[in-house]
């Protein structure tokens, strides 16, 4: 019976059936091995974009495959639902963030279902829901009780017109407020931090365990943690009992220290400043306080500083050296002070030249000349000069020797320093989980008792974007009694960074409905770690590092057993669309406004347009809406294209012609199966004919290749190619009434099922099956089918191909040579000639060398 492939009919039908039959739900069958497949959950912006489609399709193929391979699979989805956009929507459109978020969630949930993603919606979570953030708050208190959450002063962006704190995203590139346009100021506020630095070494060394992670991501994490091994040294201040403390990775250069630099807001700055320098130091400190960290430290930004008038002693040389302050030294990093070694540090060299500070070379190349003038900083290792008893010593040995001398003299010691800093989690915003702390005048910061969690966000709130945060303005909410002593006290009005919500969400899914604990220990230890995590490279550092940190702290609090949350990580590439760019004006042109797309011209300026692929975005007019593709071709085609077009970790260029190509392939599969009369392959099983053996070999090669492609590295693109080859072999086959042909048809559908789940299910049922294809086992290789009966051998005479022969597949070297000698192809050219040599390459060719 002829029928047309119409995705719009079959896709919604099967989505409904799967939902009704609970096919997407997590199996609790403990006899099966577990597989936890996890996609990075999205921010509910309201619209699924192609990047999402790629991420979630990849995970869905893995989940469906693992179910067919006999695992119990957890494939959950949720919403990273707190954050700024909802609050901005509230300010701009006067809609409550909760309502706006809920609307977006239900819209996106529908879009996921249209794609045929097999999420277990029974375990859906939203981080903005009180049932979830109750446990985010509880986990915060675990950190607090462990001494890992503390308060200190830190800088915020301050809008002086609206009198409000701004998030970094609300400050534009010119340093102005998104709403008022005011130049943003820097202001000190008391805020909450998590002590991630306590775990710096573990977070670094445990990267070695993550063998299923991309090397590039591990390197990015290691660099972020930034371990340096060196020395802590103290420079006594002249006329005071204190020292300027510094950290250096180059103690071998200590004889070249000609000045020290403090951060302008270092506690010692005011005390070392001499009266004649006071006004200048204050003015400079004020000016620096308005600069961002990037402006102060970026390599290409000017490094500026002034002397304080104070001096210190370089204890190694005994000489007096000036104490400066400079913008590039940050008080919150390391000791808040650095030693200046202009001869051996690029930045210090420039700074010393600008400010006429002494430059003393103390390291020279091994065969270098100590007297040669220095034209640039020499930053390599070498041999020490001008360094008293260390002269002639190579740098590595000198590092140790200098540290030993410092230790003996009480000037310092060996030290390890990390670039990683504690995590600032306070946000002065409404749409986040309230920090569950009460500030009492007697007891200080007091944890809200467990029984009173969650500290709920009040709903009746005014969103103006001006003044204190919405929570701080609600007196009725803020004023409470201290849980410990009953004195009138005040609630903390900061909410938590949304990275807090996403640092443990993967621990909630295994036990998503638990209302008396964040998760059950047994369930977590059963499901964790995540077997395959898939998400964007933009989360390579913070989200993954924070999740690893949370897992380790919760392990140390005896709440779970694993040390690392994610066994394997796949970072999928971007989805790029075609853009038409005017490289002179930098503007993008909409494709529909261009007359001739083969030689595109800017309709406004007449310039030739450049055609480039870039990440899809509204401003570049190169986005493709998933809904449009589904409407035109169906979800299965969208999925197949995304999987076929590029390996998952590479960027993918959207190409309509290739989408069309996948639609044609699915149509071919449709015809192949619908033209095949069910039951006609029932001929009794005897020994197979030669063409049957050939076809069966093609079937099992496809099984072998697809199975290998889907192990570990997930090469979906080559797996799809193998399915195409199998469908071609089936099209070409003449023996359509053979049981081997039937085996081929069913194998093709079962291989295809994880990729194009709807069409595979529909055709499976059309073959007469009544149960779901997604509950069938994935095809298993019969390696005996791979053995060919015969092989083809090329006959060459003097290197020239003269024909081919067929020999039994198991023929050895001698048998092949004999068959070749007897073949007509060879005899026509060798008969009557002296054979000097016969070269036999088994499985390939026989070459006769004749005289
Ligand atoms: Zn109290």
């Amino acid at each position: 019976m002829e029928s047309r492939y119409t995705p719009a009919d079959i896709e919604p039908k099967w989505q409904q059936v799967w939902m009704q039959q609970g096919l997407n739900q997590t199996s609790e069958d403990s006899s099966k091995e577990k597989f936890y497949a996890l996609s990075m959950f999205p921010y509910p912006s309201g619209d699924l974009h192609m990047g999402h489609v790629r991420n979630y399709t990849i995970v869905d193929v893995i989940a469906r495959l693992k179910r067919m391979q006999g695992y119990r699979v957890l494939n959950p989805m949720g919403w990273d639902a707190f954050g700024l956009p909802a609050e901005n929507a509230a300010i701009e459109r006067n809609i409550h963030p909760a309502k706006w978020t809920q609307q977006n969630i239900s819209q996106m949930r529908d879009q996921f279902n249209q794609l045929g993603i097999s999420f277990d919606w029974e375990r859906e979570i939203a981080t903005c829901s009180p049932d979830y953030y109750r446990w985010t708050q509880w986990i915060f208190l675990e950190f607090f009780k462990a001494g890992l959450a503390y308060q200190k002063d830190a800088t915020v962006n301050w809008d002086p017109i609206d009198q409000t704190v701004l998030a970094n995203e609300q400050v534009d590139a010119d340093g102005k407020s998104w709403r008022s346009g005011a130049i943003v100021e820097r202001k000190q506020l008391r805020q909450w931090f998590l002590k991630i630095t306590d775990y710096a070494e573990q977070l670094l060394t445990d990267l070695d365990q993550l063998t299923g992670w991309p090397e590039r991501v591990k390197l990015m994490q290691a660099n972020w943690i930034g371990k340096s091994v060196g020395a802590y040294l103290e420079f006594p201040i002249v006329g005071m009992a204190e020292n300027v403390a510094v950290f250096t990775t180059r103690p071998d250069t200590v004889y070249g220290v000609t000045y020290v630099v403090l951060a302008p807001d270092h506690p010692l700055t005011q005390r070392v400043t001499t009266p004649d320098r006071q006004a200048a130091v204050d003015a400079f400190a004020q000016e620096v306080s308005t600069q961002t960290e990037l402006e102060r430290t970026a390599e290409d930004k000017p490094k500026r500083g002034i002397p304080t008038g104070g001096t210190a002693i370089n204890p190694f040389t005994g000489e007096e050296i000036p104490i400066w302050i400079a913008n590039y030294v940050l008080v919150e990093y390391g000791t808040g002070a650095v030693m200046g070694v202009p001869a051996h540090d690029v930045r210090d060299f420039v700074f010393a030249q600008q400010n006429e500070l002494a430059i003393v070379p103390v390291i020279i190349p091994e065969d270098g000349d100590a007297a040669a003038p220095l034209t640039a900083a020499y930053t390599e290792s070498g041999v020490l000069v001008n360094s008293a008893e260390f002269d002639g010593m190579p740098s590595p040995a000198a590092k140790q020797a200098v540290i030993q001398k410092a230790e003996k003299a009480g000037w310092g010691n060996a030290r390890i320093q990390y670039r990683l800093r504690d995590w600032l989690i306070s946000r002065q915003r409404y749409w986040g989980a309230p920090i569950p702390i009460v500030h009492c005048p007697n007891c200080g910061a007091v944890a809200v008792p467990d029984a009173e969690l969650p500290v709920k966000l009040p709903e009746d709130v005014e969103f103006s974007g001006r003044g204190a945060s919405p929570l701080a303005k609600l007196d009725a909410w803020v004023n409470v009694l201290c849980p410990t002593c009953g004195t009138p006290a005040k609630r903390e009005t900061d909410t938590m960074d949304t990275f807090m919500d996403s640092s443990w969400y993967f621990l909630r899914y295994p036990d998503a409905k638990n209302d008396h604990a964040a998760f059950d220990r047994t369930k977590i230890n059963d499901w964790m770690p995540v077997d395959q995590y898939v998400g964007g490279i933009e989360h390579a550092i913070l989200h993954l590092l924070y999740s690893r940190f949370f897992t380790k702290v919760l392990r140390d609090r005896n709440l779970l057993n694993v040390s690392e949350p994610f066994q394997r990580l796949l970072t999928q590439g971007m989805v790029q669309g075609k853009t038409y760019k005017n490289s002179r004006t930098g503007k993008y042109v909409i494709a529909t406004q261009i007359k001739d797309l083969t030689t595109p011209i800017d309709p406004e300026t007449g310039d030739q347009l450049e055609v480039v692929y870039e990440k899809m975005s509204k401003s570049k007019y190169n986005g493709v809406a998933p809904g449009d593709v589904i409407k035109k071709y169906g979800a299965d085609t969208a999925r197949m294209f995304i999987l076929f077009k590029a390996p998952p970790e590479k960027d993918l260029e959207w190409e309509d012609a290739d989408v069309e190509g996948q639609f044609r392939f699915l149509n071919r599969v449709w015809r192949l199966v619908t033209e095949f009369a069910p039951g006609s392959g029932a001929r009794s099983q005897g020994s197979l004919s030669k063409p049957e053996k050939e076809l069966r070999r093609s079937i099992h090669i496809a099984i072998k290749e697809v199975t290998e492609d889907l192990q570990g590295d997930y090469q979906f693109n080559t797996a799809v190619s193998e399915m195409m080859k199998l469908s071609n072999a089936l099209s070409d086959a003449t023996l359509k009434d053979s049981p081997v042909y039937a085996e081929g048809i069913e194998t093709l559908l079962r291989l295809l099922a994880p990729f194009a789940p709807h069409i595979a299910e529909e055709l499976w049922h059309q073959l007469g099956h009544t149960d779901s294809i997604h509950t069938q086992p994935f095809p298993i290789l019969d390696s005996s089918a791979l053995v060919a009966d015969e092989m083809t051998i090329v006959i060459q005479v003097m290197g020239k191909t003269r024909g081919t022969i067929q020999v039994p597949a198991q023929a050895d070297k001698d048998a092949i040579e004999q068959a070749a000698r007897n073949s007509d192809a060879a005899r026509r050219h060798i008969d009557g000639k002296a054979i000097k040599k016969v070269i036999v390459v088994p499985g390939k060719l026989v070459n006769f060398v004749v005289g």
Side-chain angles (χ1 to χ4, degrees):
M1 221 191 90
E2 190 110 10
S3 64
R4 246 170 64 88
Y5 169 45
T6 40
D9 290 343
I10 63 171
E11 291 183 350
K13 178 180 79 183
W14 289 115
Q15 284 157 15
Q16 230 172 15
V17 171
W18 297 332
M19 210 74 89
Q20 281 159 4
Q21 297 180 347
L23 272 185
N24 299 344
Q25 281 173 34
T26 310
S27 162
E28 301 284 355
D29 180 354
S30 60
S31 69
K32 292 177 169 179
E33 208 180 316
K34 68 100 181 177
F35 192 93
Y36 188 170
L38 184 66
S39 327
M40 287 184 187
F41 67 165
Y43 178 78
S45 57
D47 263 315
L48 222 54
H49 57 67
M50 277 301 170
H52 290 130
V53 174
R54 190 174 193 196
N55 189 166
Y56 305 124
T57 300
I58 288 171
V59 179
D60 194 51
V61 177
I62 296 171
R64 287 179 182 275
L65 170 77
K66 293 293 172 185
R67 285 193 203 105
M68 290 178 82
Q69 289 179 331
Y71 293 83
R72 62 190 158 97
V73 172
L74 174 57
N75 182 29
M77 181 40 65
W79 311 97
D80 192 9
F82 272 137
L84 203 57
E87 203 161 335
N88 289 348
I91 296 168
E92 288 176 340
R93 281 176 260 170
N94 200 25
I95 175 170
H96 193 277
K99 199 175 164 197
W100 188 80
T101 305
Q102 277 313 322
Q103 284 172 2
N104 289 349
I105 287 178
S106 69
Q107 207 171 312
M108 286 174 84
R109 199 192 293 116
D110 288 347
Q111 291 169 329
F112 277 133
N113 286 331
Q114 279 169 27
L115 271 168
I117 310 278
S118 60
F119 289 135
D120 179 355
W121 289 112
E122 298 288 304
R123 290 161 192 266
E124 179 182 6
I125 56 169
T127 57
C128 65
S129 142
D131 330 334
Y132 183 88
Y133 71 69
R134 169 184 180 182
W135 303 112
T136 309
Q137 292 175 336
W138 181 84
I139 288 172
F140 169 85
L141 292 177
E142 284 293 301
F143 279 75
F144 182 63
K145 288 166 193 165
L148 292 168
Y150 68 96
Q151 282 182 289
K152 72 171 180 189
D153 282 347
T155 316
V156 294
N157 303 307
W158 179 254
D159 179 334
I161 291 181
D162 282 347
Q163 292 282 304
T164 190
V165 173
L166 298 173
N168 287 334
E169 304 92 299
Q170 292 174 319
V171 182
D172 67 17
D174 300 324
K176 292 181 179 167
S177 163
W178 71 304
R179 260 175 65 79
S180 70
I183 296 277
V184 172
E185 293 173 2
R186 315 275 290 160
K187 197 174 170 179
Q188 293 281 310
L189 273 190
R190 200 158 170 75
Q191 304 187 68
W192 286 92
F193 287 80
L194 294 191
K195 226 172 183 176
I196 191 172
T197 50
D198 272 15
Y199 283 78
E201 185 62 31
Q202 270 190 61
L203 288 166
L204 182 67
T205 51
D206 286 358
L207 286 173
D208 291 343
Q209 296 176 20
L210 303 175
T211 50
W213 281 40
E215 285 304 319
R216 151 166 101 123
V217 174
K218 289 195 275 183
L219 191 65
M220 286 162 85
Q221 294 230 338
N223 288 340
W224 188 261
I225 296 165
K227 180 180 185 176
S228 15
V229 178
Y232 167 86
L233 298 173
E234 290 182 338
F235 293 77
I237 298 168
V238 174
M240 282 171 60
E242 274 111 323
N243 306 301
V244 175
V246 302
F247 171 81
T248 176
T249 57
R250 291 299 301 271
D252 54 326
T253 65
V254 73
Y255 284 82
V257 175
T258 54
Y259 59 95
V260 288
V261 188
L262 300 173
D265 45 350
H266 190 289
L268 283 172
T269 299
Q270 287 301 319
R271 303 185 39 215
V272 300
T273 300
T274 52
D276 59 313
R277 298 294 307 155
Q278 190 67 54
V281 164
D282 288 347
F284 184 78
Q286 170 59 34
E287 190 194 323
V288 171
S289 73
T290 63
Q291 291 184 324
T292 65
E293 186 176 325
L294 197 69
E295 281 174 272
R296 291 174 61 174
T297 57
E299 253 173 65
D300 56 340
K301 300 286 180 187
K303 306 289 176 283
R304 297 175 37 246
I306 59 166
T308 61
T311 52
I313 305 279
N314 180 343
F316 288 84
T317 60
E319 278 172 29
E320 268 192 34
I321 53 175
I323 304 174
W324 282 57
I325 55 173
N327 63 343
Y328 63 83
V329 184
L330 304 174
V331 74
E332 57 269 38
Y333 184 57
T335 61
V338 300
M339 61 188 213
V341 193
H344 305 293
D345 180 279
V346 174
R347 180 190 65 196
D348 293 353
F349 188 83
V350 175
F351 190 79
Q353 280 195 320
Q354 271 169 13
N355 297 299
E356 295 177 352
L357 290 156
I359 300 175
V360 179
V362 292
I363 310 273
I364 57 166
E366 234 165 90
D367 47 7
D369 175 7
L374 208 59
T375 53
Y378 177 71
T379 58
E380 308 289 309
S381 284
V383 176
L384 273 68
V385 293
N386 302 324
S387 300
E389 72 262 37
F390 304 106
D391 280 358
M393 205 182 262
S395 290
K399 283 182 182 176
Q400 301 310 317
V402 164
I403 290 171
Q404 270 171 22
K405 178 166 177 165
E407 274 172 358
K408 246 185 227 158
W411 302 333
N413 49 46
R415 183 167 288 188
I416 290 168
Q417 185 170 284
Y418 300 90
R419 180 179 169 271
L420 184 69
R421 281 184 258 168
D422 281 342
W423 172 12
L424 199 176
I425 59 151
S426 280
R427 297 293 180 270
Q428 294 71 40
R429 318 226 67 84
Y430 170 79
W431 197 231
I435 293 177
I437 291 285
V438 171
H439 297 281
C440 167
N442 301 329
C443 315
V446 179
V448 171
D450 281 0
E452 289 172 29
L453 297 181
V455 175
K456 274 200 188 173
L457 280 172
E459 282 175 25
D460 192 15
V461 179
E462 187 207 339
F463 298 96
S464 64
R466 295 189 194 90
S469 94
L471 291 181
K473 285 188 274 191
L474 290 177
D475 288 344
W477 185 83
V478 170
N479 293 316
V480 286
L481 298 180
C482 168
T484 309
C485 72
T487 307
K490 286 189 186 305
R491 276 195 198 286
E492 172 64 61
T493 59
D494 284 355
T495 53
M496 294 183 223
D497 179 5
T498 55
F499 273 118
M500 290 283 290
D501 312 321
S502 56
S503 293
W504 76 278
Y505 78 109
F506 46 90
L507 299 172
R508 183 67 177 168
Y509 287 133
D511 196 14
K513 291 191 174 149
N514 195 331
D515 59 6
H516 55 272
F519 46 79
D520 175 85
R521 221 188 118 102
T522 323
K523 286 186 181 169
I524 282 297
N525 290 336
D526 177 30
W527 280 106
M528 286 297 287
V530 169
D531 294 275
Q532 182 67 58
Y533 197 20
V534 181
I537 189 78
E538 67 273 19
H539 295 297
I541 299 175
L542 297 183
H543 162 61
L544 292 171
L545 192 70
Y546 293 155
S547 300
R548 297 179 59 221
F549 168 48
F550 265 49
T551 303
K552 289 173 195 304
V553 172
L554 297 175
R555 174 203 61 195
D556 292 347
R557 299 289 291 170
N558 212 19
L559 293 162
L560 48 81
N561 285 349
V562 292
S563 289
E564 284 291 337
F566 313 122
Q567 188 93 43
R568 295 187 61 86
L569 171 70
L570 191 162
T571 48
Q572 91 274 359
M574 280 189 293
V575 180
Q576 299 179 321
K578 200 185 266 181
T579 59
Y580 297 91
K581 188 180 179 182
N582 187 327
S583 45
R584 196 174 53 85
T585 63
K587 283 185 179 157
Y588 293 88
V589 180
I590 305 175
T592 51
Q593 294 178 354
I594 300 166
K595 270 191 191 145
D596 178 8
L597 288 176
T598 50
T599 48
I601 301 291
D602 191 328
E604 270 179 38
T605 64
D607 289 316
Q608 178 102 32
L609 293 170
E610 203 185 339
V611 181
V612 275
Y613 285 89
E614 290 183 37
K615 185 177 179 178
M616 286 186 177
S617 87
K618 280 192 183 121
S619 60
K620 292 173 184 163
Y621 312 114
N622 66 346
V624 177
D628 293 346
V629 180
I630 293 175
K631 217 173 185 179
K632 193 164 175 197
Y633 300 105
D636 283 340
T637 295
R639 293 169 61 117
M640 290 291 283
F641 163 76
I642 277 197
L643 296 162
F644 177 66
K645 178 71 184 181
E649 67 283 358
K650 293 275 180 348
D651 290 344
L652 177 158
E653 294 177 353
W654 190 273
E655 208 55 89
D656 288 334
D658 294 339
V659 181
E660 191 76 46
Q662 286 304 312
F663 185 61
R664 279 200 305 273
F665 170 57
L666 292 182
N667 270 288
R668 258 201 323 275
V669 174
W670 181 269
R671 279 196 305 276
L672 208 55
V673 180
T674 51
E675 284 165 10
F676 168 68
S680 66
R683 204 193 63 184
S684 71
Q685 188 99 27
S687 62
L688 300 184
S689 67
K690 197 175 155 191
E692 282 178 318
K693 279 186 183 165
E694 284 301 313
L695 181 60
R696 192 148 191 277
R697 189 155 174 265
S698 304
I699 295 167
H700 283 267
I701 287 175
I703 295 173
K704 175 173 181 279
E705 297 296 331
V706 173
T707 307
E708 282 173 9
D709 288 339
L710 299 183
Q711 260 162 10
D713 279 345
Y714 298 113
Q715 296 306 306
F716 305 109
N717 52 326
T718 51
V720 173
S721 304
E722 292 300 329
M723 290 179 221
M724 292 170 146
K725 278 190 210 162
L726 176 57
S727 102
N728 289 341
L730 289 166
S731 294
D732 295 345
T734 48
L735 31 101
K736 310 232 165 176
D737 60 343
S738 155
V740 174
Y741 188 77
E743 182 189 352
I745 292 285
E746 295 210 342
T747 300
L748 178 61
L749 289 182
R750 284 193 286 151
L751 292 175
L752 189 64
F755 294 74
H758 311 88
I759 187 175
E761 185 79 303
E762 173 69 23
L763 292 173
W764 183 252
H765 280 75
Q766 291 207 13
L767 288 180
H769 297 285
T770 50
D771 45 359
S772 170
I773 192 167
H774 300 290
T775 60
Q776 301 302 307
F778 199 69
I780 291 168
L781 171 68
D782 172 3
S783 44
S784 74
L786 298 182
V787 180
D789 280 354
E790 289 186 326
M791 54 187 174
T792 304
I793 299 289
V794 172
I795 304 293
Q796 292 182 340
V797 178
M798 302 300 287
K800 220 175 193 173
T801 299
R802 296 298 186 182
T804 60
I805 55 164
Q806 296 296 120
V807 298
Q810 65 277 11
D812 62 9
K813 229 171 153 173
D814 289 342
I816 294 171
E817 183 180 330
Q818 207 48 55
R821 281 173 184 273
N822 295 337
S823 69
D824 290 342
R827 288 182 59 183
R828 276 200 292 275
H829 301 279
I830 61 175
D831 275 359
K833 290 181 183 157
I835 296 171
K836 284 188 175 166
K837 200 175 169 191
V838 184
I839 300 155
V840 181
V841 184
K844 287 214 166 68
L845 62 84
V846 176
N847 184 17
F848 293 93
V849 182
V850 292

